Amino acid sequence: MPTDELIEHMTSRYNKRRDAKDAREPIPIRMSDDDPVGLMFFGDPHLDSPQCDWPELRRCVAICESTEGMRGVSLGDHTDNWIGRLQREYAASEASAAQGWQLADWFIKSIDPLLIIRGNHDAWSGHGDPLEYIKTPGSLYEKWKAIVELQWPNGRTAVLDCAHDHVGTSQFHPLHGQVRQARFNRSGINADLYIAGHRHTWGLMTTEMQGRVVWMCRARGFKDHGEYETVKGFEIQKLGHTITAVFDPDALTETGFISCFAEPEEAAEFLTYKRGR
């Protein structure tokens, strides 16, 4: 390719990448009506791990499936997907790598996800990522982080900053990364809800910040603490596997627009009440 043609090609390719990136911040999602809806954010499932809490996972999936107006969001790390020196961990696994993807296929299709986030364990698949083929029609699949804007016909909008994790940690605050993102607006977009997984801890916080009501959340996921966490002395938590956000676009107050729950059954009952009202 002659140099001048190569330069034109590189320029055109850059422009397309730039336009694609700009068009995805935030990604618009148009709602079909103004009925209240719920999003159940699943923390890291690690479906093929011997530490995966399958009884709780099945309970949460069943609630998501059976609740009218509820859809799932997966925050990443669907399987252990060990690579490199970590492949030795398969010696302690009760599922093969192929069975892990079989379980991921069941999980994603069961929760009818609005959004799927690619976590660090998922990214270890490289360019041959099975999740690219598992994802269902009508689902977004984004690497590490996605900013989406829910848009209702009545004009109400909600911006969600969903990440496998946000930058920043603190031993004094489990939501330090989300608070930092909300306070200092690193993405340049003010969100109404910031949520992540990754660290196998959970937390909920809402406050009024810079003239807006903001929720900051983390979902623990389903992998109970193994040898690594025990050796490091990390705190063992038992709740907050999922975080569910219920949106009421007809709410009369800002504090009534979004409600978040650590217990999925309670969230489902609240959503059902809201839709029935």
Side-chain angles (χ1 to χ4, degrees):
M1 185 182 295
T3 302
D4 57 344
E5 291 183 22
L6 176 60
I7 291 173
E8 286 297 325
H9 172 72
M10 298 296 289
T11 301
S12 174
R13 188 164 64 175
Y14 170 80
N15 287 336
K16 285 183 171 62
R17 287 198 178 106
R18 180 200 59 208
D19 293 344
K21 182 178 184 299
D22 291 344
R24 304 181 82 76
E25 292 185 353
I27 303 170
I29 299 176
R30 294 178 178 85
M31 316 303 285
S32 59
D33 54 50
D34 291 324
D35 289 339
V37 296
L39 291 179
M40 187 178 294
F41 295 88
F42 285 78
D44 306 20
H46 289 279
L47 296 160
D48 57 346
S49 169
Q51 280 85 41
C52 177
D53 187 347
W54 269 95
E56 180 62 20
L57 176 69
R58 295 178 70 181
R59 184 179 79 94
C60 294
V61 169
I63 293 172
C64 186
E65 279 186 298
S66 62
T67 304
E68 185 179 355
M70 184 86 76
R71 293 189 69 176
V73 173
S74 179
L75 295 172
D77 285 359
H78 298 81
T79 66
D80 282 339
N81 200 27
W82 302 120
I83 61 168
R85 62 181 179 83
L86 292 174
Q87 285 183 324
R88 67 177 185 271
E89 297 294 334
Y90 275 124
S93 177
E94 298 169 356
S96 67
Q99 288 173 330
W101 294 119
Q102 181 181 351
L103 296 171
D105 181 78
W106 166 84
F107 170 71
I108 290 174
K109 291 176 179 176
S110 296
I111 67 172
D112 185 24
L114 182 71
L115 172 65
I116 305 166
I117 296 293
R118 185 186 190 188
N120 56 300
H121 283 253
D122 303 317
W124 291 343
S125 293
H127 294 293
D129 185 359
L131 293 176
E132 290 280 4
Y133 306 96
I134 292 175
K135 67 179 182 180
T136 56
S139 298
L140 296 167
Y141 181 42
E142 298 294 316
K143 298 178 180 178
W144 193 263
K145 178 176 178 176
I147 301 178
V148 302
E149 183 179 57
L150 307 182
Q151 302 173 346
W152 283 271
N154 68 1
R156 203 96 182 233
T157 62
V159 177
L160 316 180
D161 188 326
C162 310
H164 188 58
D165 197 18
H166 291 103
V167 176
T169 61
S170 170
Q171 62 178 319
F172 303 109
H173 201 314
L175 299 172
H176 177 78
Q178 290 69 51
V179 174
R180 178 179 182 270
Q181 183 76 7
R183 174 67 68 184
F184 298 110
N185 193 19
R186 301 292 181 178
S187 65
I189 299 173
N190 288 326
D192 301 289
L193 185 148
Y194 298 82
I195 188 164
H198 186 55
R199 299 193 176 278
H200 302 183
T201 60
W202 74 277
L204 286 173
M205 174 183 174
T206 184
T207 188
E208 187 174 351
M209 181 184 296
Q210 298 165 337
R212 68 194 199 280
V213 176
V214 184
W215 276 95
M216 288 146 287
C217 316
R218 187 184 292 278
R220 183 174 81 83
F222 297 87
K223 189 172 183 179
D224 283 342
H225 285 71
E227 182 181 2
Y228 175 81
E229 291 82 1
T230 301
V231 170
K232 297 296 183 181
F234 296 153
E235 180 182 3
I236 297 176
Q237 295 183 336
K238 295 297 184 182
L239 305 173
H241 306 81
T242 64
I243 299 296
T244 304
V246 175
F247 303 85
D248 183 358
D250 287 327
L252 299 178
T253 64
E254 289 302 311
T255 53
F257 177 35
I258 304 174
S259 303
C260 293
F261 302 82
E263 168 50 51
E265 188 169 352
E266 183 180 0
E269 291 176 353
F270 183 73
L271 174 60
T272 301
Y273 156 73
K274 282 276 192 177
R275 290 175 68 88
R277 189 182 65 174

